[in-house]
Amino acid sequence: MAEADAGSVQRCGAAHEEDRTPCEGPLMAATIVTRDGEEITGCVRHSARRLASLPQARLHPLCCLSPWAVAIYCQAATLPPFAWEAGL
């Protein structure tokens, strides 16, 4: 997991380096699978942002067992791609 800054705040793996919003929920709430098959595990907020930003991305099938999967889908549906660039 990457650190946000020198403040040693843990960030989830789905947090884009330009996205300075804090993580929401467990740091390993879900795994996003890109169209190339790369797996990115992250919190609810950043998983939703990645899902909204990556064409043909999807939640890992086993993620459906996660109580956070619905929250991620709902948030992703309301976000534009690269929401952090729009200040969201």
Side-chain angles (χ1 to χ4, degrees):
M1 286 179 230
E3 293 183 4
D5 285 322
S8 96
V9 174
Q10 283 193 334
R11 305 265 290 168
C12 71
H16 191 279
E17 62 187 42
E18 295 175 8
D19 185 352
R20 297 293 179 201
T21 59
C23 289
E24 175 185 295
L27 295 181
M28 299 181 76
T31 299
I32 302 296
V33 180
T34 68
R35 68 176 163 202
D36 299 330
E38 178 186 359
E39 294 184 0
I40 305 168
T41 301
C43 72
V44 173
R45 172 177 284 153
H46 295 119
S47 293
R49 287 170 173 247
R50 285 290 181 131
L51 188 62
S53 300
L54 297 173
Q56 300 175 9
R58 57 187 168 79
L59 286 176
H60 191 280
L62 295 179
C63 174
C64 295
L65 300 175
S66 165
W68 303 286
V70 173
I72 291 168
Y73 270 120
C74 291
Q75 284 187 30
T78 65
L79 292 170
F82 309 103
W84 57 91
E85 292 180 350
L88 301 175

Coordinates of all heavy atoms in Angstrom, one line a residue:
M1 N 0.8 -1.2 0.0 CA 0.0 0.0 0.0 C 0.9 1.2 0.0 O 1.9 1.3 0.7 CB -0.9 0.0 1.2 CG -2.0 -1.0 1.1 SD -3.0 -0.9 2.6 CE -3.1 -2.7 2.9
A2 N 0.5 2.2 -0.7 CA 1.2 3.5 -0.8 C 0.9 4.4 0.3 O -0.2 4.4 0.9 CB 0.9 4.1 -2.2
E3 N 1.8 5.3 0.6 CA 1.6 6.3 1.6 C 1.2 7.6 0.9 O 1.8 7.9 -0.1 CB 2.9 6.5 2.5 CG 3.2 5.2 3.3 CD 4.4 5.4 4.2 OE1 4.9 6.5 4.2 OE2 4.7 4.5 4.9
A4 N 0.3 8.3 1.5 CA -0.2 9.6 0.9 C 0.9 10.6 0.8 O 1.2 11.2 -0.2 CB -1.4 10.1 1.7
D5 N 1.6 10.9 1.8 CA 2.7 11.9 1.9 C 3.6 11.5 3.0 O 3.5 10.3 3.5 CB 2.1 13.3 2.1 CG 1.4 13.9 0.9 OD1 1.9 13.7 -0.2 OD2 0.4 14.6 1.1
A6 N 4.4 12.4 3.5 CA 5.3 12.1 4.6 C 4.5 11.9 5.9 O 5.1 11.4 6.9 CB 6.3 13.2 4.7
G7 N 3.2 12.2 5.9 CA 2.4 12.0 7.0 C 2.1 10.6 7.4 O 1.4 10.3 8.3
S8 N 2.6 9.6 6.6 CA 2.5 8.2 6.8 C 1.1 7.7 7.0 O 0.8 6.8 7.8 CB 3.4 7.7 7.9 OG 2.8 7.6 9.1
V9 N 0.1 8.3 6.3 CA -1.3 7.9 6.3 C -1.4 6.8 5.2 O -1.0 7.0 4.1 CB -2.2 9.0 5.9 CG1 -3.6 8.5 5.8 CG2 -2.1 10.1 7.0
Q10 N -1.8 5.6 5.6 CA -2.0 4.5 4.6 C -3.1 4.8 3.6 O -4.1 5.4 4.0 CB -2.3 3.2 5.3 CG -1.1 2.6 6.0 CD -1.4 1.2 6.4 OE1 -2.5 0.8 6.6 NE2 -0.3 0.4 6.5
R11 N -2.8 4.5 2.4 CA -3.8 4.7 1.3 C -4.0 3.3 0.7 O -3.1 2.5 0.6 CB -3.2 5.6 0.2 CG -2.8 7.0 0.8 CD -3.9 8.0 0.7 NE -4.0 8.3 -0.8 CZ -5.0 9.0 -1.3 NH1 -5.9 9.4 -0.5 NH2 -5.1 9.2 -2.5
C12 N -5.1 3.1 0.2 CA -5.4 1.8 -0.5 C -4.8 1.8 -1.9 O -4.3 2.8 -2.4 CB -7.0 1.6 -0.6 SG -7.7 2.7 -1.8
G13 N -4.7 0.6 -2.4 CA -4.1 0.4 -3.7 C -4.8 1.0 -4.9 O -4.3 1.2 -6.0
A14 N -6.1 1.3 -4.7 CA -6.9 1.9 -5.8 C -6.8 3.4 -5.8 O -7.3 4.0 -6.8 CB -8.4 1.5 -5.7
A15 N -6.3 4.0 -4.8 CA -6.1 5.5 -4.7 C -5.2 6.0 -5.8 O -4.0 5.6 -5.8 CB -5.7 5.9 -3.4
H16 N -5.6 6.8 -6.7 CA -4.8 7.3 -7.8 C -3.8 8.3 -7.1 O -4.2 9.0 -6.2 CB -5.6 8.0 -8.8 CG -4.9 8.4 -10.0 ND1 -4.1 9.5 -10.1 CD2 -4.8 7.8 -11.2 CE1 -3.6 9.6 -11.3 NE2 -3.9 8.5 -12.0
E17 N -2.6 8.4 -7.5 CA -1.6 9.3 -6.9 C -2.0 10.8 -6.9 O -1.7 11.6 -6.1 CB -0.2 9.2 -7.5 CG -0.2 9.5 -9.0 CD 1.2 9.2 -9.6 OE1 1.7 8.1 -9.3 OE2 1.7 10.0 -10.4
E18 N -2.9 11.2 -7.9 CA -3.3 12.6 -8.0 C -4.6 12.8 -7.2 O -5.1 13.9 -7.0 CB -3.6 13.0 -9.4 CG -2.3 13.0 -10.2 CD -2.6 13.3 -11.7 OE1 -3.7 13.6 -12.1 OE2 -1.6 13.1 -12.5
D19 N -5.2 11.7 -6.7 CA -6.5 11.8 -5.9 C -6.1 11.9 -4.5 O -5.7 11.0 -3.8 CB -7.3 10.6 -6.2 CG -8.7 10.6 -5.5 OD1 -8.9 11.5 -4.7 OD2 -9.5 9.7 -5.8
R20 N -6.3 13.1 -3.9 CA -5.9 13.4 -2.5 C -7.1 13.1 -1.5 O -6.9 13.4 -0.3 CB -5.4 14.8 -2.3 CG -4.2 15.1 -3.2 CD -3.0 14.2 -2.6 NE -1.8 14.5 -3.4 CZ -0.8 13.6 -3.5 NH1 -0.8 12.6 -2.7 NH2 0.2 13.9 -4.2
T21 N -8.2 12.6 -1.9 CA -9.3 12.3 -1.0 C -8.9 11.2 -0.1 O -8.2 10.3 -0.5 CB -10.6 12.0 -1.8 OG1 -10.4 10.8 -2.6 CG2 -11.1 13.2 -2.6
P22 N -9.4 11.2 1.1 CA -9.1 10.1 2.1 C -9.8 8.8 1.7 O -10.9 8.8 1.0 CB -9.6 10.6 3.4 CG -10.7 11.6 3.1 CD -10.3 12.2 1.7
C23 N -9.3 7.7 2.1 CA -9.9 6.4 1.9 C -11.2 6.4 2.7 O -11.3 7.0 3.8 CB -9.0 5.3 2.3 SG -7.6 5.0 1.2
E24 N -12.1 5.5 2.3 CA -13.4 5.4 3.0 C -13.7 3.9 3.1 O -13.7 3.2 2.1 CB -14.5 6.0 2.1 CG -15.9 5.8 2.7 CD -16.9 6.4 1.7 OE1 -17.0 7.6 1.5 OE2 -17.7 5.6 1.1
G25 N -13.9 3.4 4.3 CA -14.1 2.0 4.5 C -12.8 1.2 4.6 O -11.7 1.8 4.6
P26 N -12.9 -0.1 4.6 CA -11.7 -0.9 4.7 C -10.8 -0.7 3.5 O -11.3 -0.5 2.4 CB -12.2 -2.3 4.7 CG -13.7 -2.3 5.0 CD -14.1 -0.9 4.6
L27 N -9.5 -0.7 3.7 CA -8.5 -0.5 2.6 C -8.6 -1.6 1.6 O -8.1 -1.5 0.5 CB -7.1 -0.4 3.2 CG -6.8 0.8 4.1 CD1 -5.4 0.8 4.6 CD2 -7.2 2.1 3.4
M28 N -9.2 -2.8 2.0 CA -9.3 -3.9 1.0 C -10.8 -4.3 0.9 O -11.1 -5.5 0.9 CB -8.4 -5.1 1.5 CG -7.0 -4.7 1.6 SD -5.9 -6.0 2.2 CE -5.9 -7.0 0.7
A29 N -11.6 -3.3 0.6 CA -13.0 -3.6 0.5 C -13.4 -4.4 -0.7 O -14.3 -5.2 -0.7 CB -13.8 -2.3 0.5
A30 N -12.7 -4.1 -1.8 CA -13.0 -4.8 -3.1 C -11.8 -4.8 -4.0 O -10.9 -4.0 -3.9 CB -14.2 -4.1 -3.8
T31 N -11.9 -5.6 -5.1 CA -10.9 -5.7 -6.1 C -11.5 -5.3 -7.4 O -12.5 -5.9 -7.8 CB -10.3 -7.1 -6.1 OG1 -9.7 -7.4 -4.9 CG2 -9.2 -7.2 -7.2
I32 N -10.9 -4.4 -8.1 CA -11.3 -4.0 -9.5 C -10.5 -4.8 -10.4 O -9.3 -4.9 -10.2 CB -11.1 -2.5 -9.7 CG1 -11.9 -1.6 -8.7 CG2 -11.5 -2.1 -11.1 CD1 -13.4 -1.8 -8.8
V33 N -11.1 -5.3 -11.5 CA -10.3 -6.0 -12.5 C -10.4 -5.2 -13.8 O -11.5 -4.8 -14.3 CB -10.9 -7.4 -12.8 CG1 -10.1 -8.1 -13.9 CG2 -10.9 -8.2 -11.5
T34 N -9.2 -4.8 -14.3 CA -9.2 -3.9 -15.5 C -9.5 -4.8 -16.8 O -9.4 -6.0 -16.7 CB -7.9 -3.2 -15.7 OG1 -6.9 -4.2 -16.0 CG2 -7.5 -2.4 -14.5
R35 N -9.7 -4.2 -17.9 CA -9.9 -5.0 -19.1 C -8.7 -5.8 -19.5 O -8.8 -6.8 -20.2 CB -10.3 -4.1 -20.3 CG -9.3 -3.1 -20.8 CD -9.8 -2.4 -22.0 NE -8.9 -1.2 -22.2 CZ -9.2 -0.2 -22.8 NH1 -10.4 -0.1 -23.4 NH2 -8.4 0.8 -23.0
D36 N -7.5 -5.4 -19.0 CA -6.3 -6.2 -19.2 C -6.1 -7.3 -18.2 O -5.1 -8.0 -18.3 CB -5.1 -5.2 -19.2 CG -5.2 -4.2 -20.3 OD1 -5.8 -4.4 -21.4 OD2 -4.6 -3.1 -20.1
G37 N -6.9 -7.4 -17.2 CA -6.8 -8.4 -16.2 C -6.0 -8.0 -15.0 O -5.9 -8.8 -14.1
E38 N -5.6 -6.7 -14.9 CA -4.9 -6.3 -13.7 C -5.9 -6.2 -12.6 O -7.0 -5.7 -12.8 CB -4.3 -4.9 -14.0 CG -3.6 -4.3 -12.8 CD -3.1 -2.9 -13.0 OE1 -3.2 -2.4 -14.1 OE2 -2.5 -2.4 -12.0
E39 N -5.5 -6.6 -11.4 CA -6.4 -6.5 -10.2 C -5.9 -5.4 -9.3 O -4.7 -5.3 -9.0 CB -6.4 -7.8 -9.5 CG -7.0 -8.9 -10.3 CD -7.1 -10.2 -9.5 OE1 -6.7 -10.3 -8.4 OE2 -7.6 -11.2 -10.1
I40 N -6.8 -4.5 -8.9 CA -6.5 -3.3 -8.1 C -7.4 -3.4 -6.9 O -8.7 -3.3 -7.0 CB -6.7 -2.0 -8.8 CG1 -5.9 -2.0 -10.1 CG2 -6.4 -0.8 -7.9 CD1 -6.3 -0.8 -11.0
T41 N -6.9 -3.6 -5.7 CA -7.7 -3.7 -4.5 C -7.7 -2.4 -3.7 O -6.6 -1.8 -3.6 CB -7.1 -4.8 -3.6 OG1 -7.1 -6.1 -4.3 CG2 -7.9 -5.0 -2.3
G42 N -8.8 -2.0 -3.3 CA -8.9 -0.7 -2.6 C -10.1 -0.5 -1.7 O -11.0 -1.4 -1.6
C43 N -10.2 0.7 -1.2 CA -11.4 1.0 -0.3 C -12.6 1.3 -1.1 O -12.6 1.3 -2.4 CB -11.0 2.3 0.5 SG -10.9 3.8 -0.4
V44 N -13.7 1.6 -0.5 CA -15.0 1.8 -1.2 C -14.9 3.0 -2.1 O -15.2 3.0 -3.3 CB -16.1 2.0 -0.1 CG1 -17.4 2.4 -0.8 CG2 -16.4 0.7 0.6
R45 N -14.4 4.2 -1.5 CA -14.3 5.4 -2.3 C -13.4 5.2 -3.6 O -13.8 5.6 -4.7 CB -13.8 6.6 -1.5 CG -13.5 7.8 -2.3 CD -13.1 9.0 -1.5 NE -14.3 9.5 -0.8 CZ -14.3 10.1 0.3 NH1 -13.1 10.4 0.9 NH2 -15.4 10.6 0.8
H46 N -12.2 4.8 -3.4 CA -11.3 4.7 -4.5 C -11.6 3.6 -5.5 O -11.3 3.7 -6.6 CB -9.8 4.7 -3.9 CG -9.5 5.9 -3.2 ND1 -9.1 5.9 -1.9 CD2 -9.5 7.2 -3.6 CE1 -8.9 7.2 -1.5 NE2 -9.1 8.0 -2.5
S47 N -12.2 2.5 -5.0 CA -12.6 1.5 -5.9 C -13.7 2.0 -6.8 O -13.7 1.7 -8.0 CB -13.1 0.2 -5.1 OG -12.0 -0.4 -4.4
A48 N -14.6 2.8 -6.2 CA -15.7 3.3 -7.0 C -15.1 4.3 -8.1 O -15.5 4.3 -9.2 CB -16.7 4.1 -6.1
R49 N -14.2 5.1 -7.7 CA -13.5 6.1 -8.6 C -12.8 5.4 -9.7 O -12.8 5.8 -10.8 CB -12.6 7.0 -7.8 CG -13.4 8.0 -6.9 CD -12.5 8.8 -6.0 NE -13.2 9.8 -5.3 CZ -13.0 11.1 -5.5 NH1 -12.1 11.5 -6.3 NH2 -13.8 12.0 -4.9
R50 N -12.1 4.3 -9.4 CA -11.4 3.5 -10.4 C -12.4 2.9 -11.3 O -12.2 2.8 -12.6 CB -10.5 2.5 -9.8 CG -9.2 3.1 -9.2 CD -8.3 3.6 -10.3 NE -7.1 4.1 -9.8 CZ -5.9 3.8 -10.2 NH1 -5.7 2.9 -11.1 NH2 -4.8 4.3 -9.6
L51 N -13.5 2.3 -10.8 CA -14.5 1.6 -11.6 C -15.1 2.6 -12.6 O -15.3 2.3 -13.7 CB -15.5 1.0 -10.7 CG -16.6 0.1 -11.4 CD1 -15.9 -1.1 -12.0 CD2 -17.6 -0.4 -10.3
A52 N -15.3 3.9 -12.1 CA -15.9 4.9 -13.0 C -14.9 5.4 -14.0 O -15.3 5.9 -15.1 CB -16.4 6.1 -12.2
S53 N -13.6 5.3 -13.8 CA -12.6 5.8 -14.6 C -12.0 4.9 -15.7 O -11.5 5.3 -16.7 CB -11.5 6.4 -13.8 OG -12.0 7.4 -12.9
L54 N -12.1 3.6 -15.4 CA -11.4 2.6 -16.3 C -12.4 2.0 -17.2 O -13.3 1.3 -16.7 CB -10.7 1.6 -15.4 CG -9.5 2.1 -14.5 CD1 -9.0 1.0 -13.6 CD2 -8.4 2.6 -15.4
P55 N -12.3 2.2 -18.5 CA -13.2 1.5 -19.4 C -13.2 0.0 -19.3 O -12.1 -0.6 -19.2 CB -12.7 1.9 -20.8 CG -11.8 3.1 -20.6 CD -11.2 2.9 -19.2
Q56 N -14.3 -0.6 -19.3 CA -14.5 -2.0 -19.2 C -14.0 -2.7 -17.9 O -13.8 -3.9 -17.9 CB -13.9 -2.7 -20.4 CG -14.5 -2.3 -21.7 CD -13.8 -2.8 -22.9 OE1 -13.0 -3.7 -22.8 NE2 -14.2 -2.3 -24.1
A57 N -13.8 -1.9 -16.9 CA -13.4 -2.4 -15.6 C -14.6 -3.0 -14.9 O -15.7 -2.7 -15.2 CB -12.8 -1.3 -14.7
R58 N -14.3 -4.0 -14.0 CA -15.4 -4.6 -13.3 C -15.0 -5.0 -11.9 O -13.8 -5.0 -11.6 CB -15.9 -5.9 -14.0 CG -14.8 -6.9 -14.3 CD -15.2 -8.0 -15.2 NE -14.1 -8.8 -15.7 CZ -13.5 -9.7 -14.9 NH1 -13.9 -10.0 -13.7 NH2 -12.5 -10.4 -15.4
L59 N -15.9 -5.2 -11.0 CA -15.6 -5.7 -9.7 C -15.3 -7.2 -9.8 O -15.9 -7.9 -10.6 CB -16.7 -5.5 -8.7 CG -17.0 -4.1 -8.3 CD1 -18.2 -4.1 -7.4 CD2 -15.8 -3.6 -7.5
H60 N -14.3 -7.7 -9.0 CA -14.0 -9.1 -9.0 C -15.2 -9.9 -8.6 O -16.0 -9.5 -7.7 CB -12.8 -9.3 -8.0 CG -12.3 -10.7 -8.1 ND1 -12.8 -11.8 -7.5 CD2 -11.1 -11.1 -8.7 CE1 -12.1 -12.9 -7.8 NE2 -11.1 -12.5 -8.5
P61 N -15.5 -11.0 -9.3 CA -16.7 -11.8 -9.0 C -16.9 -12.2 -7.6 O -18.0 -12.1 -7.1 CB -16.5 -13.0 -9.9 CG -15.6 -12.6 -11.0 CD -14.7 -11.6 -10.4
L62 N -15.8 -12.5 -6.9 CA -16.0 -12.9 -5.5 C -16.3 -11.7 -4.6 O -16.7 -11.8 -3.4 CB -14.7 -13.6 -4.9 CG -14.4 -14.9 -5.6 CD1 -13.1 -15.5 -5.1 CD2 -15.6 -15.9 -5.4
C63 N -16.1 -10.5 -5.1 CA -16.4 -9.3 -4.4 C -17.9 -9.2 -4.1 O -18.3 -8.5 -3.2 CB -16.0 -8.1 -5.2 SG -16.4 -6.5 -4.5
C64 N -18.7 -9.9 -4.9 CA -20.2 -9.8 -4.7 C -20.6 -10.3 -3.3 O -21.7 -9.9 -2.8 CB -20.9 -10.7 -5.7 SG -20.7 -10.0 -7.4
L65 N -19.7 -11.0 -2.7 CA -20.0 -11.5 -1.3 C -19.7 -10.3 -0.3 O -20.1 -10.4 0.9 CB -19.1 -12.7 -0.9 CG -19.3 -13.9 -1.8 CD1 -18.3 -15.0 -1.5 CD2 -20.7 -14.4 -1.7
S66 N -19.0 -9.3 -0.8 CA -18.6 -8.2 0.1 C -19.8 -7.3 0.3 O -20.5 -6.9 -0.6 CB -17.5 -7.4 -0.5 OG -17.3 -6.2 0.1
P67 N -20.1 -6.8 1.5 CA -21.2 -5.9 1.8 C -20.9 -4.5 1.1 O -21.8 -3.7 1.0 CB -21.2 -5.8 3.3 CG -19.9 -6.2 3.7 CD -19.4 -7.2 2.8
W68 N -19.7 -4.3 0.7 CA -19.3 -3.0 0.1 C -19.5 -2.9 -1.4 O -19.5 -1.9 -2.0 CB -17.9 -2.6 0.4 CG -17.7 -2.6 1.9 CD1 -18.1 -1.7 2.8 CD2 -17.0 -3.6 2.7 NE1 -17.8 -2.0 4.1 CE2 -17.1 -3.2 4.0 CE3 -16.4 -4.8 2.4 CZ2 -16.5 -4.0 5.1 CZ3 -15.9 -5.6 3.4 CH2 -16.0 -5.1 4.7
A69 N -19.8 -4.1 -2.1 CA -19.9 -4.1 -3.5 C -21.0 -3.2 -4.0 O -20.8 -2.5 -5.0 CB -20.1 -5.6 -4.0
V70 N -22.2 -3.2 -3.4 CA -23.3 -2.4 -3.8 C -22.9 -0.9 -3.6 O -23.2 -0.1 -4.5 CB -24.6 -2.7 -3.0 CG1 -25.7 -1.8 -3.3 CG2 -25.0 -4.2 -3.3
A71 N -22.3 -0.6 -2.5 CA -21.9 0.8 -2.3 C -20.9 1.3 -3.4 O -21.0 2.4 -3.9 CB -21.3 1.0 -0.9
I72 N -20.0 0.4 -3.8 CA -19.1 0.8 -4.9 C -19.8 1.0 -6.2 O -19.5 2.0 -6.9 CB -18.0 -0.3 -5.0 CG1 -17.1 -0.3 -3.7 CG2 -17.1 -0.1 -6.2 CD1 -16.2 -1.5 -3.5
Y73 N -20.7 0.1 -6.5 CA -21.4 0.2 -7.8 C -22.2 1.5 -7.8 O -22.3 2.2 -8.8 CB -22.4 -1.0 -8.0 CG -21.7 -2.1 -8.8 CD1 -21.6 -3.4 -8.2 CD2 -21.3 -1.9 -10.1 CE1 -21.1 -4.4 -8.9 CE2 -20.7 -3.0 -10.8 CZ -20.6 -4.2 -10.2 OH -20.1 -5.3 -10.9
C74 N -22.9 1.8 -6.7 CA -23.8 3.0 -6.6 C -22.9 4.3 -6.7 O -23.3 5.2 -7.4 CB -24.6 3.0 -5.3 SG -25.9 1.7 -5.3
Q75 N -21.8 4.3 -6.0 CA -20.9 5.5 -6.1 C -20.4 5.7 -7.5 O -20.3 6.8 -8.0 CB -19.8 5.4 -5.1 CG -20.2 5.7 -3.7 CD -19.1 5.8 -2.7 OE1 -18.0 6.1 -3.1 NE2 -19.3 5.4 -1.5
A76 N -19.9 4.6 -8.1 CA -19.3 4.6 -9.4 C -20.3 5.1 -10.5 O -19.9 5.9 -11.4 CB -18.8 3.3 -9.8
A77 N -21.6 4.8 -10.3 CA -22.6 5.2 -11.3 C -22.9 6.7 -11.2 O -23.3 7.3 -12.2 CB -23.9 4.5 -11.0
T78 N -22.5 7.3 -10.1 CA -22.7 8.8 -10.0 C -21.5 9.6 -10.3 O -21.6 10.9 -10.3 CB -23.3 9.1 -8.6 OG1 -22.2 8.9 -7.7 CG2 -24.5 8.4 -8.3
L79 N -20.4 9.0 -10.5 CA -19.1 9.7 -10.7 C -18.7 9.8 -12.2 O -18.9 8.9 -13.0 CB -18.0 9.0 -10.0 CG -18.1 9.0 -8.5 CD1 -17.0 8.0 -7.9 CD2 -17.8 10.4 -7.9
P80 N -18.1 11.0 -12.5 CA -17.5 11.1 -13.9 C -16.2 10.4 -13.8 O -15.6 10.2 -12.7 CB -17.4 12.6 -14.0 CG -17.1 13.1 -12.7 CD -18.0 12.2 -11.8
P81 N -15.6 10.0 -15.0 CA -14.3 9.5 -15.0 C -13.3 10.5 -14.4 O -13.4 11.7 -14.6 CB -14.0 9.3 -16.5 CG -15.3 9.1 -17.1 CD -16.2 10.0 -16.3
F82 N -12.3 10.0 -13.6 CA -11.3 10.9 -13.0 C -11.9 12.0 -12.2 O -11.6 13.2 -12.3 CB -10.3 11.4 -14.1 CG -9.8 10.3 -15.0 CD1 -10.3 10.1 -16.2 CD2 -8.8 9.5 -14.5 CE1 -9.8 9.1 -17.0 CE2 -8.3 8.4 -15.3 CZ -8.8 8.3 -16.6
A83 N -12.8 11.6 -11.3 CA -13.5 12.6 -10.5 C -12.6 13.5 -9.7 O -13.0 14.7 -9.4 CB -14.4 11.8 -9.5
W84 N -11.4 13.1 -9.3 CA -10.5 13.9 -8.5 C -10.1 15.1 -9.4 O -9.7 16.2 -8.8 CB -9.3 13.1 -8.0 CG -8.6 12.4 -9.1 CD1 -7.5 12.9 -9.8 CD2 -8.8 11.1 -9.6 NE1 -7.1 11.9 -10.7 CE2 -7.9 10.8 -10.5 CE3 -9.8 10.1 -9.3 CZ2 -7.8 9.6 -11.2 CZ3 -9.7 8.9 -10.0 CH2 -8.8 8.7 -10.9
E85 N -10.1 15.0 -10.7 CA -9.7 16.1 -11.5 C -10.7 17.2 -11.6 O -10.4 18.4 -11.8 CB -9.4 15.7 -13.0 CG -8.1 14.8 -13.1 CD -7.8 14.3 -14.4 OE1 -8.6 14.5 -15.4 OE2 -6.7 13.8 -14.6
A86 N -12.0 16.8 -11.3 CA -13.1 17.8 -11.3 C -13.3 18.3 -9.9 O -14.3 19.0 -9.6 CB -14.4 17.1 -11.8
G87 N -12.5 17.9 -8.9 CA -12.7 18.3 -7.6 C -13.7 17.6 -6.8 O -14.2 18.1 -5.7
L88 N -14.2 16.5 -7.3 CA -15.2 15.7 -6.6 C -14.6 14.7 -5.6 O -13.6 14.2 -5.8 CB -16.1 15.0 -7.6 CG -16.8 15.9 -8.6 CD1 -17.6 15.1 -9.6 CD2 -17.8 16.8 -7.8

